[in-house]
Amino acid sequence: MFKNDERYWDINLLNKWFAVSSIIFLAVTVWVFVDDNDDEFKTYQKEFRKMQIKIAETKLVQDSTEIASDRIIYEKELAIAQENFDDRKEDLDLLEKELRTLKNRHYNENMLYQGQKAQIDALKFLVEADNAHGASHGPSHLDDYNTALDKLDNLRLIREGTEIEISEKEQIIKQIKSQVKAKKDDLDVFTKKYTLTKNTLEKIDREKMTIGNQIGDIVRDLPILDFLDPYYKVHQIVVADVKYDVNFAAVPTVDRCTSCHLGIDNPDFSDAPQPYTTHPNLELYLTSSSPHPINNFGCTSCHAGKSRGTSFVSSGHTPNTPEDKERWKEEYDWKKDHHWLTPMLPTRYTQASCFNCHSNTSDLAGAEKLNFGLSLVDKAGCNGCHHNEDWPTQAKSGPNLKKVNEKLSEDWVAKWVKNPRHFRYNTRMPAIFEQPNQETEEVTEYNNAEIAGITEYLFNGKDKKSGSNSKRFVGDIASGEKLFNAIGCTGCHVSENNPELAPHVDSYYNLTKVQGPNLIGMGSKVSAEWLYEWLMDPQAYMPETKMPNLRLEPQQAKDLTAYLIKDKNKPFDDLPDHKYSKEVLDQLTVNWLKKSNPEKYAIQKASKMDELEKLNFVGEKSIRHYGCFGCHNIDGFDDAKPIGVEITEEGSKPVGKFDFGLFHDIEHTTHAWIENKLRTPRIYDRGKESEHLDLLKMPNFYFSEEEIEAITTAVLSFNANKIGEKLLAHKKAPDIYKKGHRLVKQYNCQGCHLIENRGGQLVDQIGKPEYGPPNLHTEGRKANPDWLLSFLNNPSIIRPNLQAKMPSFHQISDEDWDAIIAYFQHMASEKVHYRSEHQFDTESTEFAAGQTLHEIGQCNSCHFYGEEFPTGDAPTWAPNLAMTKERLNPDWVHEWLKNPQEIMPGTKMPAPYLPDEAVLSAKGAINDWGSDLIKLNGDTTKMLNGLRDYLWNIEGSNNIDDLVKTYFDKNGYDFESSDGDDDYDDDDDWDDEDEDEDDDW
Amino acid sequence: MLDAFKNSVDYLSNPTISFSLLTVLTPLLFPPTDWFDKINRKLRLHLLWTKTGCAISMAVITFFFAVGFLDENFSVILTKADNFPIILMFYSIFFCTWLAMHKAYINDERLEKGLKPSEYNDPDDKVLVWPDLVYIEFIALILFTVFLVVWSILVAAPLEEPANPASTPNPSKAPWYFLGLQEMLVYYDPWIAGILLPIFCVVGLMAIPYMDINKKGDGYYSFKERRVGIFIFMYGWIVLWLFLIVLGTFFRGPNWNFYGPFEYWDAHKVVALNNINLSEYFWVKLLGTGLPDNILLREFVGFIVVGIYLFITPVLLAKTVLKDMVKSYGLVRFGALMTFGLVMLSLPIKMYFRWIFDLKYFVAIPEYFFNI
């Protein structure tokens, strides 16, 4: 039997153990709760609450001082009203008592009525059943039904009578109370702001709460109970249109950033430290009135990072600088999350995200770095080797080499290929050779053979013409220089021997200055004959060139040739001729043959080739190997596939897929990899033992740090992010817009013109906007598209006072012009593409008034009227008004006349003077203004319409090119020397000039 | 000095060396025969089971980890939350083994002197299930829960992001308790390493009570009376299971290459894997011909080798050295014991064939996913 007192262990000892362990267990349990509720974001929220209280208190003090003085007045009025009201207190009491009785009576009457209604419904059923099936079941119910109906009517009338009485009584009571209420409302409205602040403060400041609320405020955040309505909680925004890919299932992004970034959309916190501070650009982001409200876009759609993270480290913050990184490590124990594929973009690369939804433009307002990067991707020809679906290449970025024999010598080409920077320090041609991974003697020798091969391949089977430098092609150097600076060459080219003075390419603006090559050392490169012919007709040498035809006169072309060719590059000329070793060439030939042949056959095949064949063979292989055809059109490579990796989604490539090489000095992030690749393209070969043909081969572009940052931004922007259709801004514009935009960039229109507020560096060189190529703001709405197309195909003078001229882009097809015009129209929000002829009545008062205004305004002092010259001097000359009806959109002309400065800042066109009503009704007005104007009675719309209609009635020749040219041939630009900025050149022919149509006026 | 220590540890941890060392050391530590016992005494290895031995061993383990924590490469591995249990395992396994062996040695001495084991000494030393045992267990339960809770608070669970097929970790490691299995995959086809061997482990463990006809050592610790059994178990448990876990945890890095604990995990490391099959040895190297097209013909040497190993060896043993054992065990028990023993032994055998002869498979029929 079990004996209760049988023990073999000291039960007291066990009890003690039990007691101690239980206490420890309890303590640990408490610790669990503390640990579980001690979230990082709560610390921030508590701190933020304190800041909110402080700000609210300051505001409250401000508000109360603001209203302090006037408040007394309101309160006094209220007191008076209250007094009046108190006097009638007895009446009111009586009325309210009566009302009470009435309401009680009404309650009873209503009950009776509803009861009767129910009876009737029941009777109605019986009657209707009788009607349908015959009254076979006993007495008819119809009589009962009718009696009941009468009773119901009676009850209703009684009830309505009481209702009327009630409403009358209530009306009286309301009236008695109305004055007090009105005054009280006034006071409330006046103190509304103050009251709101006060309420807020009472909600957040525990000290200002009632005791009940204080307890509630504590209880709501207690563990377990805090599932109901805690104050400190995770704030999150579910962004339905931005998806995150979890194993092929796209789930909406859930952004919890605002759990700590609590003041992000509150302008009150602009001076607060992180994480409380306000977003730096609330106009563009977060607020509901901005284009990117926080509820639609969230945070990580732009910044990336781990959206569900609720602590500093788990949300995937990425430091922007090494200093930040060190500081974060110290303050937050920060470390990189290796398992999250999309860490936050460092702040300098945030613009990369703009491209997610704005993939059709590189002129996006506020995304200058991205714009610059995308432009550089085009300019440097990245897409020639790296296919990109979303930002495809528009054209090869280097010149066509199919006729290189007509232009260059083999020796020059070989030296150039070896190192283009020996000839031109800032060339866009990247260096393929003489790079860090090619420094061994073996590789250098191979490279020399490759260079010889490439050169041979380019010239193989072609006449080696060396153009003449005969005087027939060389004119006057001084005139050439003037012309170079005046006619518009500098819209795309510089000619600068000093690297210090050359444009530093750190922005899109400066990039437009070097659209074409820096024209130095031309005497060492090309012959006068070639250059002359090139200048006269660039498309004859290279049909797809970006260089337009400036419609030069032969003498002008000679002068320019003389100017450009005089500069020679002596050090380059003095470089020894390119040499290579025949043995190395043999070996290289065999090496290439070995790739597709057994070594025995490779050697056999190679032994059957003569040296020229070998060079040619190695040249072809090398061009394919190094991808020269990515930027140049070369015979035999018309269908060659790009040699680089596709970069359509490069920004989303997991960082583990990048080869960082053997060294550990580069941070393992996508952006650091790209930066270093751009800075030193062969860097990841360091320490590797690769065969010559296995070396990394991306050429070195010698990008500036600004360029590297911009291109990295662009590459990061090429990603696989999943954004819903609704948010995609580029879906809202037709595809043709993107095409037109890209063409405008391709031909560097912004080198001369200001478009979308970007570019126009030629105008800045000239100085005054009125002497430079026009600003193309509103161009799409301004110009009649038919006229615009004919002008672009065949430019003629619009602005006779310009020396720079709009060149002819004969290489642009009608289809592309259509895209460009569509782009302009989209920019100007122009929806109407075809317009019927503008109708007006020449007999109308408006028209007559317009004529008067026109005379008063003396339009003819600047403007041509067909072949009729302006009365003013040549510097002030303005477009031919006879062109107006064909050229411009009548609605736009109205807008323009109203305020020319708004459309084209800096224009010399004044707004016409429009007399107002007071002037017109003054004494003697009829003499000054004429009866027609007075009849319009100061209606500016009608006046401007009249003026516009008058312009439409001006007849005359549309083309005044010859007239203007003859004039300047004879008189010269007499204003040239008087104003350095204007920089006129008298031997310029001035035939058309001025670029695409456009403004003037 | 410290570098020399680290380098030698790195060198010694190479599986070929460390595994061989342990294989040699196990019979010395747990001598199954008098001969081993003599060496054990000569080397004074039995002192390991004294209290001083325990203290020194604990100090050595701790020193190893301390150096590891201070080393930039090893600390990365040691401080992973996943690997915390392995560190604990070093201590707990050693302590439990030590405790058992310590008590066993005391008993052995007593038995030699004709005394009863120490467990028999005190007739009053008994425990009641209720309340004593249940109470003690309950207290232990509470304290262990406290330990688990504190652990979970201090070291966050190593949970990662949802698995992403586009970005797999390198190395991809199984949970720590499966790392031994993962290590076996290096040497055996998945169906053997992942299915057959684990089944044999489990069934073998279950079979132990039915195989063990040694009546001695019931209810008390003793080494001498059961030294063969203990040796076999310890070799399987410590060398073929725990050591493989340690190997997988600390010494396997990117691409499942071997890295010494103090070595940097360079993902670029490449190891030549030129393993060849027995059939290739036979037909190509020995006979100088090509492989026959007939699969069975091609692999017949492998089948014969495996057949001899599994079926002829037990017969030979039964007729020679283990004649007595067959008699006392009976044929069925002997057969089962041989099967389990030979399967267990096949792992180190295969490992050595791999290391010494670069042998990939004895029988290689990839056409039907059948490789041994």
Side-chain angles (χ1 to χ4, degrees):
Chain A
M1 276 305 289
F2 177 71
K3 283 192 275 172
N4 262 339
D5 52 349
E6 193 184 2
R7 291 282 188 278
Y8 297 93
W9 275 71
D10 180 355
I11 196 75
N12 283 330
L13 181 70
L14 287 181
N15 283 343
K16 279 176 200 158
W17 269 94
F18 179 65
V20 171
S21 13
S22 304
I23 289 167
I24 297 176
F25 189 72
L26 180 68
V28 167
T29 311
V30 172
W31 188 9
V32 166
F33 275 105
V34 171
D35 184 66
D36 201 35
N37 285 275
D38 184 27
D39 301 284
E40 194 178 321
F41 66 86
K42 286 187 183 164
T43 322
Y44 291 123
Q45 292 189 353
K46 281 174 190 155
E47 183 61 33
F48 185 73
R49 188 170 176 174
K50 279 185 212 152
M51 293 168 78
Q52 270 181 312
I53 291 172
K54 221 170 165 191
I55 288 177
E57 277 172 345
T58 327
K59 252 191 177 173
L60 194 67
V61 173
Q62 263 175 21
D63 292 349
S64 76
T65 31
E66 242 172 59
I67 57 169
S69 52
D70 289 350
R71 184 185 188 156
I72 300 169
I73 302 171
Y74 283 95
E75 279 172 348
K76 219 178 248 169
E77 280 179 16
L78 179 63
I80 295 168
Q82 187 70 39
E83 232 167 71
N84 293 342
F85 175 76
D86 288 346
D87 289 349
R88 301 188 60 184
K89 191 91 175 105
E90 273 172 37
D91 298 351
L92 190 71
D93 286 349
L94 195 66
L95 278 166
E96 274 176 347
K97 208 170 155 197
E98 284 168 7
L99 184 64
R100 183 86 230 139
T101 322
L102 279 172
K103 279 193 172 162
N104 291 345
R105 203 172 86 201
H106 176 261
Y107 193 93
N108 186 30
E109 287 163 1
N110 188 43
M111 260 166 68
L112 290 172
Y113 171 76
Q114 298 292 354
Q116 185 62 20
K117 216 170 144 212
Q119 297 284 354
I120 282 183
D121 286 342
L123 282 169
K124 192 173 169 199
F125 163 74
L126 293 174
V127 172
E128 282 173 353
D130 286 351
N131 290 346
H133 311 300
S136 55
H137 313 294
S140 159
H141 298 93
L142 197 57
D143 293 343
D144 292 352
Y145 180 58
N146 285 334
T147 323
L149 274 182
D150 290 343
K151 198 176 169 195
L152 182 71
D153 272 348
N154 207 17
L155 286 171
R156 186 168 53 80
L157 287 174
I158 295 171
R159 191 183 68 168
E160 274 176 10
T162 314
E163 277 166 5
I164 291 166
E165 276 182 67
I166 288 174
S167 108
E168 279 168 0
K169 282 271 182 302
E170 278 175 343
Q171 203 58 39
I172 298 167
I173 293 172
K174 199 175 159 195
Q175 212 173 353
I176 295 172
K177 288 182 173 171
S178 69
Q179 211 194 346
V180 175
K181 192 175 176 301
K183 292 293 165 200
K184 196 152 177 3
D185 286 350
D186 286 350
L187 180 65
D188 286 348
V189 169
F190 180 69
T191 59
K192 189 176 169 194
K193 208 170 128 204
Y194 170 81
T195 318
L196 275 177
T197 319
K198 195 157 160 262
N199 289 347
T200 318
L201 197 57
E202 274 164 13
K203 257 183 230 158
I204 55 176
D205 188 357
R206 203 173 276 165
E207 287 170 17
K208 301 215 166 40
M209 290 178 187
T210 61
I211 293 195
N213 283 351
Q214 276 182 17
I215 293 168
D217 192 54
I218 293 166
V219 169
R220 68 193 292 203
D221 286 310
L222 288 181
I224 300 177
L225 292 178
D226 64 359
F227 77 98
L228 277 170
D229 178 31
Y231 184 88
Y232 303 109
K233 62 185 170 200
V234 171
H235 298 237
Q236 68 181 25
I237 299 156
V238 179
V239 192
D241 288 316
V242 182
K243 304 281 198 223
Y244 173 66
D245 196 351
V246 185
N247 290 339
F248 312 113
V251 296
T253 298
V254 178
D255 281 346
R256 295 181 172 158
C257 316
T258 44
S259 301
C260 300
H261 292 282
L262 292 147
I264 198 72
D265 56 354
N266 185 343
D268 290 344
F269 289 84
S270 55
D271 295 330
Q274 286 285 20
Y276 317 106
T277 190
T278 314
H279 193 281
N281 192 347
L282 283 185
E283 264 172 40
L284 203 50
Y285 304 103
L286 305 189
T287 52
S288 51
S289 57
S290 73
H292 308 97
I294 192 167
N295 285 331
N296 298 358
F297 287 84
C299 311
T300 54
S301 57
C302 297
H303 290 277
K306 195 157 102 191
S307 60
R308 285 169 202 251
T310 51
S311 74
F312 188 85
V313 176
S314 73
S315 46
H317 286 98
T318 304
N320 194 35
T321 62
E323 295 80 57
D324 279 351
K325 189 172 162 185
E326 286 315 307
R327 189 168 55 81
W328 287 6
K329 276 184 181 170
E330 204 159 287
E331 286 178 24
Y332 305 103
D333 214 5
W334 179 85
K335 56 183 178 299
K336 203 179 143 216
D337 184 346
H338 288 279
H339 305 290
W340 191 253
L341 294 184
T342 54
M344 205 172 294
L345 290 163
T347 46
R348 67 183 183 282
Y349 292 127
T350 309
Q351 285 180 16
S353 300
C354 303
F355 193 76
N356 288 340
C357 307
H358 299 274
S359 70
N360 60 349
T361 178
S362 53
D363 271 334
L364 186 62
E368 295 310 327
K369 203 181 284 174
L370 176 66
N371 294 340
F372 182 38
L374 290 172
S375 306
L376 279 165
V377 166
D378 285 341
K379 193 86 207 59
C382 304
N383 293 343
C385 293
H386 303 286
H387 176 68
N388 185 351
E389 199 63 39
D390 296 329
W391 194 254
T393 179
Q394 294 288 104
K396 303 245 180 200
S397 63
N400 186 334
L401 300 182
K402 291 188 176 175
K403 287 202 248 173
V404 70
N405 57 314
E406 295 174 16
K407 177 179 174 185
L408 303 168
S409 75
E410 278 178 284
D411 182 48
W412 188 93
V413 170
K415 288 200 259 182
W416 166 263
V417 171
K418 191 168 171 66
N419 190 340
R421 300 208 148 222
H422 285 162
F423 180 77
R424 184 181 294 134
Y425 59 87
N426 62 348
T427 180
R428 275 284 155 200
M429 165 93 173
I432 295 166
F433 300 107
E434 301 198 336
Q435 293 303 305
N437 64 344
Q438 298 166 320
E439 276 165 356
T440 65
E441 201 183 324
E442 188 198 356
V443 176
T444 311
E445 283 299 317
Y446 275 132
N447 287 345
N448 283 336
E450 286 170 333
I451 292 164
I454 291 170
T455 312
E456 173 54 35
Y457 183 87
L458 293 176
F459 284 82
N460 188 258
K462 293 174 183 162
D463 287 348
K464 286 157 196 176
K465 290 185 205 163
S466 52
S468 141
N469 276 325
S470 139
K471 286 225 158 132
R472 283 188 294 135
F473 306 113
V474 183
D476 177 39
I477 293 175
S479 318
E481 182 171 5
K482 270 189 190 172
L483 202 55
F484 182 80
N485 290 319
I487 202 164
C489 305
T490 53
C492 295
H493 293 277
V494 292
S495 173
E496 182 51 69
N497 267 308
N498 183 352
E500 302 283 310
L501 299 176
H504 178 58
V505 184
D506 56 0
S507 63
Y508 175 66
Y509 181 84
N510 279 346
L511 183 65
T512 63
K513 293 181 185 170
V514 288
Q515 157 84 352
N518 179 6
L519 297 173
I520 53 173
M522 297 307 284
S524 301
K525 184 179 178 185
V526 296
S527 68
E529 180 181 1
W530 182 88
L531 187 53
Y532 169 81
E533 280 168 6
W534 166 257
L535 289 170
M536 287 299 288
D537 185 4
Q539 283 98 21
Y541 173 77
M542 196 196 301
E544 75 279 28
T545 180
K546 282 171 239 172
M547 168 93 170
N549 186 337
L550 274 115
R551 302 183 303 279
L552 298 173
E553 307 248 309
Q555 186 54 44
Q556 290 177 311
K558 284 180 199 171
D559 292 346
L560 275 173
T561 303
Y563 168 64
L564 292 174
I565 211 132
K566 75 159 200 299
D567 187 39
K568 288 190 195 276
N569 188 333
K570 190 91 179 32
F572 187 80
D573 287 341
D574 292 346
L575 286 174
D577 286 355
H578 181 71
K579 291 204 183 60
Y580 65 96
S581 143
K582 282 183 191 165
E583 292 75 47
V584 175
L585 176 67
D586 290 347
Q587 187 56 48
L588 189 56
T589 312
V590 172
N591 286 352
W592 272 116
L593 285 167
K594 263 160 62 180
K595 294 212 169 231
S596 48
N597 294 285
E599 182 158 349
K600 185 176 158 195
Y601 295 153
I603 293 171
Q604 269 176 18
K605 278 190 187 173
S607 66
K608 282 182 201 148
M609 293 170 149
D610 64 19
E611 193 180 342
L612 216 56
E613 278 174 324
K614 281 180 191 159
L615 279 175
N616 212 27
F617 171 74
V618 165
E620 196 252 327
K621 290 290 183 191
S622 303
I623 288 171
R624 197 173 296 282
H625 181 65
Y626 292 111
C628 309
F629 56 84
C631 294
H632 302 282
N633 276 315
I634 298 174
D635 285 318
F637 289 94
D638 292 334
D639 298 325
K641 294 272 176 297
I643 63 161
V645 295
E646 177 172 346
I647 54 168
T648 308
E649 297 184 348
E650 191 73 0
S652 294
K653 195 156 142 185
V655 70
K657 307 269 178 211
F658 288 101
D659 177 10
F660 283 84
L662 302 172
F663 288 70
H664 301 132
D665 51 354
I666 293 168
E667 200 188 356
H668 280 214
T669 58
T670 307
H671 58 88
W673 190 92
I674 299 170
E675 285 167 3
N676 282 285
K677 182 75 180 170
L678 292 167
R679 193 176 292 123
T680 322
R682 315 281 171 90
I683 194 165
Y684 303 115
D685 256 354
R686 284 181 303 169
K688 285 195 179 169
E689 295 284 331
S690 304
E691 292 290 319
H692 153 239
L693 291 176
D694 297 334
L695 292 171
L696 289 177
K697 53 196 177 183
M698 169 153 152
N700 195 340
F701 291 78
Y702 296 98
F703 288 122
S704 69
E705 284 304 306
E706 292 89 348
E707 287 175 301
I708 288 171
E709 201 168 303
I711 297 174
T712 306
T713 309
V715 177
L716 289 172
S717 78
F718 304 144
N719 60 38
N721 294 356
K722 294 184 172 55
I723 311 285
E725 291 265 322
K726 262 200 277 175
L727 302 185
L728 298 178
H730 54 249
K731 294 266 174 187
K732 290 170 191 150
D735 289 346
I736 198 170
Y737 158 79
K738 181 173 182 177
K739 187 180 174 195
H741 167 80
R742 299 289 305 276
L743 285 164
V744 162
K745 294 277 169 182
Q746 185 183 334
Y747 291 103
N748 201 32
C749 303
Q750 281 160 310
C752 301
H753 297 279
L754 207 59
I755 301 175
E756 293 195 57
N757 263 327
R758 277 179 192 80
Q761 49 99 4
L762 186 65
V763 184
D764 298 337
Q765 286 182 41
I766 291 168
K768 294 182 182 167
E770 71 252 37
Y771 294 124
N775 180 344
L776 297 188
H777 182 52
T778 72
E779 183 64 28
R781 190 161 70 250
K782 166 186 185 177
N784 180 355
D786 291 335
W787 174 86
L788 188 50
L789 180 62
S790 70
F791 172 82
L792 292 169
N793 272 325
N794 188 14
S796 61
I797 291 189
I798 294 172
R799 254 153 252 164
N801 64 335
L802 295 198
Q803 218 174 344
K805 56 159 98 166
M806 170 76 181
S808 306
F809 289 88
H810 296 309
Q811 61 272 58
I812 302 181
S813 66
D814 274 0
E815 196 189 339
D816 287 351
W817 281 129
D818 185 48
I820 293 172
I821 293 169
Y823 161 67
F824 282 137
Q825 291 180 328
H826 181 80
M827 281 292 85
S829 312
E830 172 67 16
K831 301 273 187 284
V832 182
H833 296 181
Y834 305 98
R835 287 174 192 279
S836 51
E837 217 174 296
H838 177 54
Q839 300 295 333
F840 55 93
D841 180 5
T842 50
E843 303 301 317
S844 70
T845 315
E846 279 180 29
F847 186 87
Q851 182 168 13
T852 316
L853 283 172
H854 165 259
E855 279 154 15
I856 293 164
Q858 296 184 330
C859 306
N860 62 347
S861 72
C862 297
H863 286 282
F864 277 80
Y865 287 58
E867 302 197 338
E868 190 184 318
F869 273 69
T871 56
D873 294 336
T876 66
W877 285 357
N880 178 3
L881 292 185
M883 297 171 81
T884 308
K885 56 183 166 301
E886 200 182 311
R887 181 175 154 233
L888 301 173
N889 163 7
D891 295 339
W892 180 87
V893 171
H894 182 107
E895 248 174 75
W896 166 251
L897 289 171
K898 209 154 139 192
N899 190 353
Q901 289 295 341
E902 191 179 308
I903 290 178
M904 204 186 299
T907 179
K908 63 184 156 58
M909 164 84 183
Y913 176 73
L914 303 176
D916 60 15
E917 213 183 325
V919 173
L920 290 176
S921 54
K923 230 185 203 175
I926 190 131
N927 298 328
D928 296 339
W929 305 104
S931 57
D932 297 308
L933 260 179
I934 289 176
K935 264 189 228 162
L936 293 185
N937 206 16
D939 183 338
T940 51
T941 308
K942 284 185 178 161
M943 283 189 254
L944 290 177
N945 282 344
L947 185 54
R948 189 249 333 261
D949 293 349
Y950 181 79
L951 297 177
W952 244 255
N953 206 33
I954 293 173
E955 299 291 339
S957 163
N958 273 346
N959 191 326
I960 53 170
D961 290 12
D962 293 339
L963 216 59
V964 173
K965 182 176 174 317
T966 318
Y967 174 87
F968 282 114
D969 280 350
K970 196 167 143 214
N971 300 313
Y973 290 90
D974 52 352
F975 45 96
E976 143 195 44
S977 51
S978 60
D979 186 343
D981 282 348
D982 296 345
D983 207 9
Y984 290 91
D985 187 358
D986 48 357
D987 42 357
D988 187 4
D989 52 351
W990 280 96
D991 40 307
D992 43 1
E993 40 122 20
D994 151 75
E995 24 278 48
D996 20 4
E997 58 116 23
D998 178 325
D999 55 350
D1000 57 324
W1001 272 89
Chain B
M1 179 67 192
L2 198 61
D3 281 346
F5 169 75
K6 288 180 181 176
N7 286 338
S8 41
V9 170
D10 280 349
Y11 177 75
L12 292 175
S13 356
N14 196 312
T16 49
I17 298 174
S18 49
F19 186 83
S20 305
L21 278 179
L22 279 177
T23 303
V24 173
L25 202 60
T26 317
L28 296 180
L29 283 176
F30 307 100
T33 65
D34 289 341
W35 186 76
F36 282 110
D37 195 49
K38 227 184 265 170
I39 303 178
N40 173 298
R41 301 280 163 183
K42 212 184 252 174
L43 297 175
R44 305 169 78 82
L45 286 176
H46 61 283
L47 294 181
L48 182 62
W49 312 123
T50 61
K51 285 184 179 164
T52 326
C54 175
I56 293 175
S57 305
M58 288 289 192
V60 168
I61 296 174
T62 309
F63 173 75
F64 174 68
F65 285 130
V67 173
F69 276 115
L70 297 175
D71 180 81
E72 58 172 341
N73 294 323
F74 200 12
S75 67
V76 174
I77 305 166
L78 283 179
T79 51
K80 277 211 169 82
D82 316 58
N83 296 344
F84 189 52
I86 313 294
I87 299 174
L88 290 186
M89 190 180 82
F90 265 83
Y91 289 99
S92 57
I93 295 292
F94 177 78
F95 179 73
C96 294
T97 311
W98 177 85
L99 189 66
M101 287 303 281
H102 180 70
K103 292 197 167 187
Y105 266 62
I106 292 173
N107 277 348
D108 287 348
E109 268 171 35
R110 292 176 65 91
L111 290 169
E112 239 163 60
K113 287 178 195 161
L115 300 170
K116 289 201 164 183
S118 51
E119 282 85 351
Y120 282 103
N121 270 357
D122 178 14
D124 286 329
D125 182 23
K126 68 173 182 180
V127 177
L128 294 177
V129 169
W130 177 262
D132 295 351
L133 179 66
V134 173
Y135 204 1
I136 293 169
E137 283 181 346
F138 184 55
I139 293 170
L141 186 84
I142 292 175
L143 288 176
F144 196 72
T145 311
V146 167
F147 165 71
L148 286 180
V149 170
V150 172
W151 180 2
S152 70
I153 291 175
L154 294 183
V155 183
L159 297 178
E160 296 175 0
E161 305 316 322
N164 185 335
S167 164
T168 49
N170 185 13
S172 293
K173 289 195 178 181
W176 66 266
Y177 42 85
F178 277 150
L179 279 174
L181 286 181
Q182 201 175 348
E183 186 61 26
M184 286 186 210
L185 283 167
V186 174
Y187 305 97
Y188 273 113
D189 216 37
W191 71 271
I192 297 183
I195 298 173
L196 202 65
L197 292 181
I199 288 177
F200 268 80
C201 287
V202 176
V203 176
L205 287 172
M206 290 192 293
I208 286 178
Y210 305 99
M211 308 267 202
D212 186 6
I213 55 168
N214 183 354
K215 293 238 170 16
K216 292 179 185 165
D218 259 2
Y220 58 93
Y221 291 99
S222 166
F223 177 73
K224 240 179 193 166
E225 290 179 342
R226 332 183 44 91
R227 57 186 182 179
V228 177
I230 290 181
F231 160 70
I232 295 176
F233 177 81
M234 280 311 196
Y235 185 71
W237 168 234
I238 299 211
V239 183
L240 296 184
W241 186 250
L242 296 183
F243 173 67
L244 294 187
I245 290 180
V246 172
L247 185 71
T249 310
F250 292 151
F251 306 156
R252 289 294 183 183
N255 309 320
W256 209 250
N257 280 329
F258 165 78
Y259 293 82
F262 301 107
E263 202 179 326
Y264 172 74
W265 281 13
D266 192 335
H268 298 94
K269 182 168 174 174
V270 176
V271 174
L273 296 172
N274 291 322
N275 300 323
I276 49 179
N277 295 321
L278 183 61
S279 51
E280 288 162 333
Y281 266 113
F282 181 77
W283 294 104
V284 181
K285 300 250 167 174
L286 190 66
L287 300 186
T289 61
L291 293 174
D293 290 337
N294 185 311
I295 293 173
L296 292 178
L297 179 61
R298 186 184 76 199
E299 301 298 336
F300 87 95
V301 190
F303 280 120
I304 289 175
V305 169
V306 174
I308 289 174
Y309 176 71
L310 284 181
F311 302 111
I312 308 294
T313 324
V315 177
L316 283 180
L317 288 173
K319 301 249 159 166
T320 57
V321 276
L322 299 181
K323 223 183 241 175
D324 295 344
M325 191 180 170
V326 182
K327 226 175 265 172
S328 55
Y329 272 61
L331 264 183
V332 176
R333 192 178 273 137
F334 177 78
L337 192 66
M338 278 296 131
T339 312
F340 286 119
L342 288 173
V343 169
M344 183 177 111
L345 258 191
S346 70
L347 179 63
I349 290 174
K350 182 77 190 284
M351 289 163 88
Y352 277 104
F353 270 95
R354 172 69 55 84
W355 295 332
I356 298 171
F357 303 112
D358 287 331
L359 181 84
K360 198 171 179 187
Y361 293 123
F362 287 102
V363 176
I365 311 181
E367 294 89 336
Y368 296 101
F369 311 104
F370 181 84
N371 306 298
I372 299 175

